[in-house]
Tab-separated table of all heavy atoms in Angstrom:
chain	number	residue	atom	x	y	z
A	36	LYS	N	-123.009	212.006	-88.561
A	36	LYS	CA	-122.830	210.583	-88.241
A	36	LYS	C	-124.018	209.740	-88.703
A	36	LYS	O	-123.830	208.677	-89.296
A	36	LYS	CB	-122.621	210.422	-86.736
A	36	LYS	CG	-122.343	209.017	-86.317
A	36	LYS	CD	-122.062	208.948	-84.829
A	36	LYS	CE	-121.723	207.545	-84.403
A	36	LYS	NZ	-121.435	207.483	-82.961
A	37	ARG	N	-125.205	210.215	-88.454
A	37	ARG	CA	-126.415	209.467	-88.811
A	37	ARG	C	-126.484	209.182	-90.308
A	37	ARG	O	-126.968	208.144	-90.743
A	37	ARG	CB	-127.627	210.266	-88.374
A	37	ARG	CG	-128.924	209.638	-88.733
A	37	ARG	CD	-130.066	210.487	-88.245
A	37	ARG	NE	-131.316	209.786	-88.374
A	37	ARG	CZ	-132.472	210.270	-88.031
A	37	ARG	NH1	-132.543	211.466	-87.517
A	37	ARG	NH2	-133.559	209.569	-88.192
A	38	TYR	N	-125.984	210.129	-91.110
A	38	TYR	CA	-126.063	210.008	-92.568
A	38	TYR	C	-124.737	209.580	-93.192
A	38	TYR	O	-124.610	209.568	-94.412
A	38	TYR	CB	-126.496	211.351	-93.172
A	38	TYR	CG	-127.783	211.857	-92.570
A	38	TYR	CD1	-127.776	212.887	-91.645
A	38	TYR	CD2	-129.004	211.283	-92.909
A	38	TYR	CE1	-128.962	213.349	-91.088
A	38	TYR	CE2	-130.188	211.728	-92.355
A	38	TYR	CZ	-130.151	212.766	-91.444
A	38	TYR	OH	-131.319	213.222	-90.879
A	39	ARG	N	-123.778	209.281	-92.336
A	39	ARG	CA	-122.427	208.900	-92.787
A	39	ARG	C	-121.839	209.969	-93.706
A	39	ARG	O	-121.250	209.683	-94.746
A	39	ARG	CB	-122.447	207.542	-93.472
A	39	ARG	CG	-122.863	206.450	-92.523
A	39	ARG	CD	-122.896	205.113	-93.182
A	39	ARG	NE	-123.520	204.174	-92.274
A	39	ARG	CZ	-123.021	203.001	-91.998
A	39	ARG	NH1	-121.912	202.610	-92.561
A	39	ARG	NH2	-123.634	202.211	-91.163
A	40	LEU	N	-121.997	211.192	-93.270
A	40	LEU	CA	-121.509	212.342	-94.019
A	40	LEU	C	-120.108	212.685	-93.539
A	40	LEU	O	-119.847	212.740	-92.340
A	40	LEU	CB	-122.454	213.521	-93.788
A	40	LEU	CG	-122.352	214.712	-94.697
A	40	LEU	CD1	-122.541	214.308	-96.153
A	40	LEU	CD2	-123.415	215.735	-94.317
A	41	ASN	N	-119.204	212.900	-94.466
A	41	ASN	CA	-117.808	213.165	-94.152
A	41	ASN	C	-117.675	214.538	-93.478
A	41	ASN	O	-117.929	215.566	-94.106
A	41	ASN	CB	-116.985	213.126	-95.437
A	41	ASN	CG	-115.513	213.319	-95.193
A	41	ASN	OD1	-115.067	213.592	-94.087
A	41	ASN	ND2	-114.735	213.176	-96.248
A	42	PRO	N	-117.238	214.596	-92.212
A	42	PRO	CA	-117.131	215.886	-91.506
A	42	PRO	C	-115.987	216.766	-91.997
A	42	PRO	O	-115.909	217.936	-91.632
A	42	PRO	CB	-116.936	215.477	-90.048
A	42	PRO	CG	-116.364	214.119	-90.099
A	42	PRO	CD	-116.906	213.475	-91.347
A	43	THR	N	-115.122	216.228	-92.835
A	43	THR	CA	-114.000	217.032	-93.334
A	43	THR	C	-114.353	217.798	-94.608
A	43	THR	O	-113.520	218.529	-95.130
A	43	THR	CB	-112.754	216.155	-93.583
A	43	THR	OG1	-113.054	215.196	-94.587
A	43	THR	CG2	-112.304	215.464	-92.306
A	44	LEU	N	-115.580	217.626	-95.096
A	44	LEU	CA	-116.016	218.389	-96.260
A	44	LEU	C	-115.993	219.882	-95.941
A	44	LEU	O	-116.190	220.269	-94.792
A	44	LEU	CB	-117.449	217.995	-96.648
A	44	LEU	CG	-117.668	216.631	-97.255
A	44	LEU	CD1	-119.160	216.335	-97.369
A	44	LEU	CD2	-117.025	216.572	-98.636
A	45	PRO	N	-115.788	220.723	-96.946
A	45	PRO	CA	-115.909	222.172	-96.709
A	45	PRO	C	-117.307	222.483	-96.155
A	45	PRO	O	-118.291	221.813	-96.509
A	45	PRO	CB	-115.719	222.779	-98.098
A	45	PRO	CG	-114.998	221.737	-98.882
A	45	PRO	CD	-115.421	220.410	-98.319
A	46	ASP	N	-117.394	223.483	-95.314
A	46	ASP	CA	-118.647	223.774	-94.612
A	46	ASP	C	-119.838	223.936	-95.544
A	46	ASP	O	-120.911	223.396	-95.284
A	46	ASP	CB	-118.495	225.031	-93.747
A	46	ASP	CG	-117.585	224.798	-92.561
A	46	ASP	OD1	-117.261	223.628	-92.268
A	46	ASP	OD2	-117.204	225.794	-91.925
A	47	GLU	N	-119.668	224.682	-96.625
A	47	GLU	CA	-120.789	224.939	-97.532
A	47	GLU	C	-121.313	223.635	-98.142
A	47	GLU	O	-122.519	223.381	-98.166
A	47	GLU	CB	-120.364	225.904	-98.636
A	47	GLU	CG	-121.488	226.357	-99.514
A	47	GLU	CD	-122.589	227.091	-98.756
A	47	GLU	OE1	-122.275	227.870	-97.839
A	47	GLU	OE2	-123.763	226.870	-99.089
A	48	GLU	N	-120.404	222.800	-98.603
A	48	GLU	CA	-120.807	221.514	-99.179
A	48	GLU	C	-121.417	220.605	-98.121
A	48	GLU	O	-122.420	219.923	-98.358
A	48	GLU	CB	-119.595	220.840	-99.831
A	48	GLU	CG	-119.929	219.536	-100.512
A	48	GLU	CD	-118.714	218.873	-101.155
A	48	GLU	OE1	-117.627	219.498	-101.201
A	48	GLU	OE2	-118.862	217.728	-101.604
A	49	TYR	N	-120.821	220.608	-96.944
A	49	TYR	CA	-121.316	219.790	-95.836
A	49	TYR	C	-122.755	220.163	-95.493
A	49	TYR	O	-123.626	219.298	-95.395
A	49	TYR	CB	-120.401	219.968	-94.622
A	49	TYR	CG	-120.835	219.191	-93.418
A	49	TYR	CD1	-120.436	217.874	-93.237
A	49	TYR	CD2	-121.654	219.769	-92.459
A	49	TYR	CE1	-120.845	217.157	-92.124
A	49	TYR	CE2	-122.063	219.054	-91.350
A	49	TYR	CZ	-121.659	217.749	-91.192
A	49	TYR	OH	-122.079	217.038	-90.093
A	50	VAL	N	-123.005	221.460	-95.322
A	50	VAL	CA	-124.349	221.920	-94.953
A	50	VAL	C	-125.345	221.621	-96.072
A	50	VAL	O	-126.469	221.199	-95.797
A	50	VAL	CB	-124.341	223.419	-94.587
A	50	VAL	CG1	-125.754	223.934	-94.378
A	50	VAL	CG2	-123.498	223.656	-93.342
A	51	SER	N	-124.948	221.812	-97.312
A	51	SER	CA	-125.842	221.518	-98.441
A	51	SER	C	-126.233	220.045	-98.464
A	51	SER	O	-127.413	219.711	-98.637
A	51	SER	CB	-125.171	221.896	-99.761
A	51	SER	OG	-124.948	223.266	-99.817
A	52	ARG	N	-125.263	219.184	-98.304
A	52	ARG	CA	-125.557	217.735	-98.299
A	52	ARG	C	-126.414	217.347	-97.101
A	52	ARG	O	-127.344	216.549	-97.230
A	52	ARG	CB	-124.263	216.928	-98.289
A	52	ARG	CG	-123.537	216.948	-99.605
A	52	ARG	CD	-122.382	215.988	-99.576
A	52	ARG	NE	-121.609	216.049	-100.788
A	52	ARG	CZ	-120.631	215.208	-101.071
A	52	ARG	NH1	-120.309	214.252	-100.210
A	52	ARG	NH2	-119.964	215.310	-102.201
A	53	LEU	N	-126.087	217.905	-95.941
A	53	LEU	CA	-126.855	217.588	-94.740
A	53	LEU	C	-128.289	218.076	-94.869
A	53	LEU	O	-129.225	217.372	-94.482
A	53	LEU	CB	-126.174	218.197	-93.510
A	53	LEU	CG	-126.737	217.802	-92.158
A	53	LEU	CD1	-126.662	216.290	-91.948
A	53	LEU	CD2	-125.979	218.514	-91.048
A	54	ALA	N	-128.475	219.267	-95.429
A	54	ALA	CA	-129.824	219.808	-95.615
A	54	ALA	C	-130.627	218.955	-96.596
A	54	ALA	O	-131.845	218.798	-96.435
A	54	ALA	CB	-129.745	221.245	-96.105
A	55	ALA	N	-129.968	218.391	-97.598
A	55	ALA	CA	-130.657	217.516	-98.547
A	55	ALA	C	-131.123	216.227	-97.871
A	55	ALA	O	-132.178	215.690	-98.202
A	55	ALA	CB	-129.741	217.190	-99.723
A	56	LEU	N	-130.342	215.763	-96.902
A	56	LEU	CA	-130.682	214.530	-96.189
A	56	LEU	C	-131.641	214.766	-95.015
A	56	LEU	O	-132.359	213.864	-94.612
A	56	LEU	CB	-129.402	213.866	-95.669
A	56	LEU	CG	-128.433	213.386	-96.749
A	56	LEU	CD1	-127.084	213.046	-96.141
A	56	LEU	CD2	-129.010	212.184	-97.478
A	57	ASN	N	-131.609	215.983	-94.473
A	57	ASN	CA	-132.440	216.315	-93.316
A	57	ASN	C	-133.146	217.643	-93.583
A	57	ASN	O	-132.648	218.701	-93.218
A	57	ASN	CB	-131.568	216.414	-92.065
A	57	ASN	CG	-132.358	216.719	-90.818
A	57	ASN	OD1	-133.560	216.886	-90.856
A	57	ASN	ND2	-131.662	216.799	-89.708
A	58	PRO	N	-134.320	217.599	-94.203
A	58	PRO	CA	-135.022	218.834	-94.580
A	58	PRO	C	-135.426	219.714	-93.397
A	58	PRO	O	-135.650	220.902	-93.561
A	58	PRO	CB	-136.267	218.336	-95.316
A	58	PRO	CG	-136.034	216.909	-95.617
A	58	PRO	CD	-135.011	216.416	-94.649
A	59	SER	N	-135.519	219.169	-92.206
A	59	SER	CA	-135.909	219.968	-91.039
A	59	SER	C	-134.751	220.812	-90.497
A	59	SER	O	-134.952	221.643	-89.612
A	59	SER	CB	-136.454	219.067	-89.931
A	59	SER	OG	-135.426	218.243	-89.420
A	60	LEU	N	-133.567	220.628	-91.028
A	60	LEU	CA	-132.384	221.352	-90.575
A	60	LEU	C	-132.463	222.824	-90.979
A	60	LEU	O	-132.798	223.136	-92.121
A	60	LEU	CB	-131.126	220.720	-91.180
A	60	LEU	CG	-129.804	221.391	-90.863
A	60	LEU	CD1	-129.396	221.102	-89.429
A	60	LEU	CD2	-128.733	220.927	-91.816
A	61	ASP	N	-132.147	223.704	-90.050
A	61	ASP	CA	-132.043	225.140	-90.358
A	61	ASP	C	-130.637	225.374	-90.905
A	61	ASP	O	-129.698	225.645	-90.163
A	61	ASP	CB	-132.299	225.968	-89.103
A	61	ASP	CG	-132.313	227.458	-89.377
A	61	ASP	OD1	-131.965	227.872	-90.508
A	61	ASP	OD2	-132.649	228.213	-88.446
A	62	SER	N	-130.495	225.259	-92.212
A	62	SER	CA	-129.177	225.306	-92.836
A	62	SER	C	-128.518	226.676	-92.693
A	62	SER	O	-127.301	226.763	-92.538
A	62	SER	CB	-129.247	224.884	-94.296
A	62	SER	OG	-130.150	225.685	-94.998
A	63	ASP	N	-129.296	227.749	-92.729
A	63	ASP	CA	-128.711	229.087	-92.571
A	63	ASP	C	-128.110	229.267	-91.178
A	63	ASP	O	-127.018	229.812	-91.033
A	63	ASP	CB	-129.757	230.172	-92.834
A	63	ASP	CG	-130.185	230.221	-94.289
A	63	ASP	OD1	-129.372	229.833	-95.161
A	63	ASP	OD2	-131.324	230.634	-94.554
A	64	ALA	N	-128.816	228.781	-90.167
A	64	ALA	CA	-128.306	228.884	-88.796
A	64	ALA	C	-127.040	228.043	-88.630
A	64	ALA	O	-126.094	228.473	-87.962
A	64	ALA	CB	-129.372	228.443	-87.799
A	65	LEU	N	-127.014	226.861	-89.238
A	65	LEU	CA	-125.828	226.010	-89.142
A	65	LEU	C	-124.645	226.643	-89.865
A	65	LEU	O	-123.528	226.647	-89.350
A	65	LEU	CB	-126.115	224.611	-89.701
A	65	LEU	CG	-124.956	223.625	-89.647
A	65	LEU	CD1	-124.432	223.440	-88.217
A	65	LEU	CD2	-125.363	222.288	-90.237
A	66	ARG	N	-124.870	227.193	-91.038
A	66	ARG	CA	-123.792	227.893	-91.762
A	66	ARG	C	-123.226	229.037	-90.927
A	66	ARG	O	-122.014	229.215	-90.835
A	66	ARG	CB	-124.309	228.445	-93.086
A	66	ARG	CG	-124.358	227.472	-94.198
A	66	ARG	CD	-124.717	228.157	-95.515
A	66	ARG	NE	-125.038	227.161	-96.504
A	66	ARG	CZ	-126.280	226.711	-96.762
A	66	ARG	NH1	-127.309	227.208	-96.112
A	66	ARG	NH2	-126.471	225.788	-97.677
A	67	ASP	N	-124.118	229.794	-90.317
A	67	ASP	CA	-123.697	230.918	-89.485
A	67	ASP	C	-122.880	230.439	-88.285
A	67	ASP	O	-121.825	231.000	-87.971
A	67	ASP	CB	-124.925	231.703	-89.014
A	67	ASP	CG	-124.551	232.862	-88.130
A	67	ASP	OD1	-123.787	233.738	-88.586
A	67	ASP	OD2	-125.012	232.897	-86.972
A	68	LEU	N	-123.343	229.393	-87.631
A	68	LEU	CA	-122.624	228.865	-86.470
A	68	LEU	C	-121.244	228.350	-86.874
A	68	LEU	O	-120.242	228.641	-86.206
A	68	LEU	CB	-123.436	227.753	-85.800
A	68	LEU	CG	-122.803	227.079	-84.586
A	68	LEU	CD1	-122.449	228.093	-83.504
A	68	LEU	CD2	-123.717	226.002	-84.035
A	69	LEU	N	-121.166	227.609	-87.965
A	69	LEU	CA	-119.872	227.096	-88.421
A	69	LEU	C	-118.923	228.240	-88.783
A	69	LEU	O	-117.721	228.166	-88.498
A	69	LEU	CB	-120.054	226.143	-89.603
A	69	LEU	CG	-120.705	224.802	-89.282
A	69	LEU	CD1	-121.014	224.036	-90.559
A	69	LEU	CD2	-119.837	223.983	-88.350
A	70	ALA	N	-119.440	229.297	-89.371
A	70	ALA	CA	-118.606	230.452	-89.709
A	70	ALA	C	-118.093	231.138	-88.443
A	70	ALA	O	-116.922	231.522	-88.359
A	70	ALA	CB	-119.396	231.439	-90.559
A	71	ARG	N	-118.958	231.270	-87.446
A	71	ARG	CA	-118.523	231.903	-86.194
A	71	ARG	C	-117.525	231.029	-85.442
A	71	ARG	O	-116.657	231.538	-84.742
A	71	ARG	CB	-119.727	232.231	-85.321
A	71	ARG	CG	-120.536	233.395	-85.917
A	71	ARG	CD	-121.690	233.814	-85.040
A	71	ARG	NE	-122.696	232.767	-84.996
A	71	ARG	CZ	-123.338	232.398	-83.896
A	71	ARG	NH1	-123.094	232.982	-82.744
A	71	ARG	NH2	-124.246	231.443	-83.933
A	72	LEU	N	-117.614	229.719	-85.607
A	72	LEU	CA	-116.650	228.814	-84.969
A	72	LEU	C	-115.276	228.877	-85.644
A	72	LEU	O	-114.291	228.429	-85.081
A	72	LEU	CB	-117.166	227.375	-84.976
A	72	LEU	CG	-118.311	227.073	-84.012
A	72	LEU	CD1	-118.911	225.711	-84.312
A	72	LEU	CD2	-117.841	227.148	-82.569
A	73	ARG	N	-115.218	229.424	-86.850
A	73	ARG	CA	-113.949	229.564	-87.564
A	73	ARG	C	-113.240	230.883	-87.280
A	73	ARG	O	-112.150	231.119	-87.801
A	73	ARG	CB	-114.174	229.450	-89.079
A	73	ARG	CG	-114.378	228.058	-89.574
A	73	ARG	CD	-114.271	227.982	-91.092
A	73	ARG	NE	-114.957	229.057	-91.775
A	73	ARG	CZ	-116.209	228.999	-92.234
A	73	ARG	NH1	-116.905	227.912	-92.074
A	73	ARG	NH2	-116.746	230.024	-92.860
A	74	GLN	N	-113.831	231.750	-86.498
A	74	GLN	CA	-113.226	233.051	-86.212
A	74	GLN	C	-111.838	232.883	-85.601
A	74	GLN	O	-111.584	231.940	-84.863
A	74	GLN	CB	-114.084	233.833	-85.227
A	74	GLN	CG	-115.423	234.238	-85.753
A	74	GLN	CD	-116.186	234.985	-84.692
A	74	GLN	OE1	-115.887	236.135	-84.439
A	74	GLN	NE2	-117.146	234.320	-84.075
A	75	ARG	N	-110.977	233.820	-85.904
A	75	ARG	CA	-109.614	233.776	-85.357
A	75	ARG	C	-109.544	234.382	-83.961
A	75	ARG	O	-108.864	233.867	-83.100
A	75	ARG	CB	-108.654	234.501	-86.283
A	75	ARG	CG	-108.454	233.789	-87.603
A	75	ARG	CD	-107.150	234.212	-88.241
A	75	ARG	NE	-106.900	233.469	-89.453
A	75	ARG	CZ	-106.313	232.288	-89.486
A	75	ARG	NH1	-105.924	231.708	-88.389
A	75	ARG	NH2	-106.111	231.677	-90.633
A	76	GLU	N	-110.217	235.483	-83.759
A	76	GLU	CA	-110.173	236.167	-82.467
A	76	GLU	C	-111.574	236.215	-81.869
A	76	GLU	O	-112.480	236.780	-82.459
A	76	GLU	CB	-109.647	237.597	-82.634
A	76	GLU	CG	-108.244	237.668	-83.179
A	76	GLU	CD	-107.209	237.107	-82.227
A	76	GLU	OE1	-107.371	237.274	-81.000
A	76	GLU	OE2	-106.245	236.489	-82.703
A	77	VAL	N	-111.731	235.619	-80.710
A	77	VAL	CA	-113.006	235.668	-80.000
A	77	VAL	C	-112.732	235.953	-78.527
A	77	VAL	O	-111.691	235.561	-77.989
A	77	VAL	CB	-113.810	234.351	-80.126
A	77	VAL	CG1	-114.265	234.110	-81.534
A	77	VAL	CG2	-113.034	233.179	-79.602
A	78	SER	N	-113.676	236.603	-77.908
A	78	SER	CA	-113.557	236.847	-76.469
A	78	SER	C	-113.985	235.586	-75.721
A	78	SER	O	-114.586	234.671	-76.298
A	78	SER	CB	-114.432	238.026	-76.065
A	78	SER	OG	-115.801	237.679	-76.190
A	79	GLU	N	-113.699	235.582	-74.451
A	79	GLU	CA	-114.084	234.421	-73.653
A	79	GLU	C	-115.599	234.277	-73.591
A	79	GLU	O	-116.128	233.172	-73.672
A	79	GLU	CB	-113.504	234.536	-72.239
A	79	GLU	CG	-113.690	233.280	-71.433
A	79	GLU	CD	-112.866	233.277	-70.169
A	79	GLU	OE1	-111.758	233.820	-70.160
A	79	GLU	OE2	-113.349	232.712	-69.173
A	80	SER	N	-116.309	235.398	-73.484
A	80	SER	CA	-117.774	235.327	-73.434
A	80	SER	C	-118.348	234.835	-74.761
A	80	SER	O	-119.319	234.076	-74.777
A	80	SER	CB	-118.369	236.675	-73.052
A	80	SER	OG	-118.041	237.654	-74.002
């Protein structure tokens, strides 16, 4: 939102653009979190 970045971009492109705009961002951690949020089967925990 702060950078007016389109949230519908594919995750890899989104993270790359966000990292370019915000160098303090841990892009690897964000990529990992977004990938885990895309899982099909997860337990409640």
Side-chain angles (χ1 to χ4, degrees):
K36 184 176 182 179
R37 178 179 190 180
Y38 305 104
R39 297 180 190 228
L40 194 57
N41 183 354
T43 62
L44 289 171
D46 290 348
E47 187 60 39
E48 183 180 352
Y49 179 87
V50 173
S51 296
R52 287 188 184 188
L53 188 59
L56 296 167
N57 181 359
S59 67
L60 177 74
D61 184 351
S62 57
D63 292 333
L65 180 57
R66 278 187 192 93
D67 179 59
L68 179 56
L69 290 172
R71 289 184 292 138
L72 287 169
R73 283 193 317 266
Q74 294 179 76
R75 292 202 176 274
E76 299 294 325
V77 293
S78 69
E79 189 167 326
S80 61

